[in-house]
Amino acid sequence: RFQIQRGKTDPTSYKSLGDCFRTIFQREGLLGFYKGILPPILAETPKRAVKFFTFEQYKKLLGYASLPPGLAFAVAGLGSGLTEAVVVNPFEVVKVSLQANRGAFTEQPSSFVQARRIIKTDGLGFQGLNKGLTATLGRHGAFNMVYFGFYFNVKSILPVNKDPNLEFLRKFGIGLVSGTIASIINIPFDVAKSRIQGPQPVPGEIKYRTCFKTMATVYKEEG
């Protein structure tokens, strides 16, 4: 919701995270927090399968290029993220369109009805079910590149602990830091993706059209 609202000039903007939660609960009920839940659930299994399978394949291919291991992990992560984005983007379009609906949960269309509506109105291309693909490529590409590159590089530097509990904490800590850094780097792409895939400020006019132009607009208008 924060990503698709258009700054302080948006009459329905949320003042803070707490205000957002309170407003959604008061106006849309508890189920309002779960709008658009089906597309991510449906996408989760193929997304994970594509992410880790392609990461291993790209890593093997890069083995022939004699790249330093650290760089190879990062490039393989980038490749896996770009491939993953192609799979997940249609699900994201449906999810964002459902989450942007501020009516009651029981009043909104189902995921399948919404998907059919998008296809019927705008088709399967970059104005329809694959809208915002470039921003999604950036989001997943940047995240996986940083995550896999950082995780495997730091994991190889920090010594393995013989104590299983400490070893778990070592891996958990590296994963936590990797995910945090990757999220910080990829969030501008995520905001751009949500603005492009979500409702436009003025019906009938497309303000957020391309990834980097959307980033520039958000930066110029909202900092």
Side-chain angles (χ1 to χ4, degrees), residues 118-133:
I118 292 170
I119 294 171
K120 184 178 180 180
T121 305
D122 300 307
L124 297 168
F126 297 132
Q127 298 302 318
L129 209 57
N130 272 292
K131 184 190 297 183
L133 178 59

Side-chain angles (χ1 to χ4, degrees), residues 27 30 33 36 42 52 61 67-68 76 110 113 142 146 163 169 173 179 218:
R27 295 181 180 176
L30 183 62
F33 295 110
L42 294 176
F52 291 104
L61 289 173
L67 292 175
S110 69
V113 169
V146 175
D163 186 323
L169 290 176
V218 172

